[in-house]
Amino acid sequence: MRILYQLLVVLFLMFQGAAGQPYFPNRGDSCEVQNGRCFPGICRRPYYWIGTCHNGYSCCRRYRES
């Protein structure tokens, strides 16, 4: 029975890889990639919220006037 569970885990990991979705997602620093900064709490002017940082802070970007 233990071998069956191990085979199911391997099969699950293979399907995740075939779908192009990593089982252990890479968190990276997506806030900096989006030209944002991490702030505790909510975003205040002149910043607006664009997501959440890896540490739970708000990812904020500065308004740009065109």
Side-chain angles (χ1 to χ4, degrees):
M1 201 63 170
R2 184 175 180 194
I3 293 174
L4 179 63
Y5 289 126
Q6 289 177 348
L7 288 175
L8 287 174
V9 168
V10 170
L11 186 63
F12 174 76
L13 291 174
M14 287 176 51
F15 281 137
Q16 288 288 322
Q21 298 176 355
Y23 182 68
F24 302 106
N26 183 9
R27 303 214 66 163
D29 208 356
S30 62
C31 189
E32 286 185 7
V33 170
Q34 299 178 38
N35 294 326
R37 294 181 54 195
C38 296
F39 291 104
I42 62 173
C43 301
R44 306 256 182 219
R45 288 185 187 218
Y47 295 93
Y48 65 98
W49 187 83
I50 58 172
T52 306
C53 296
H54 65 282
N55 55 3
Y57 287 178
S58 295
C59 183
C60 307
R61 185 186 307 167
R62 184 181 279 270
Y63 282 109
R64 287 216 171 125
E65 301 283 331
S66 299

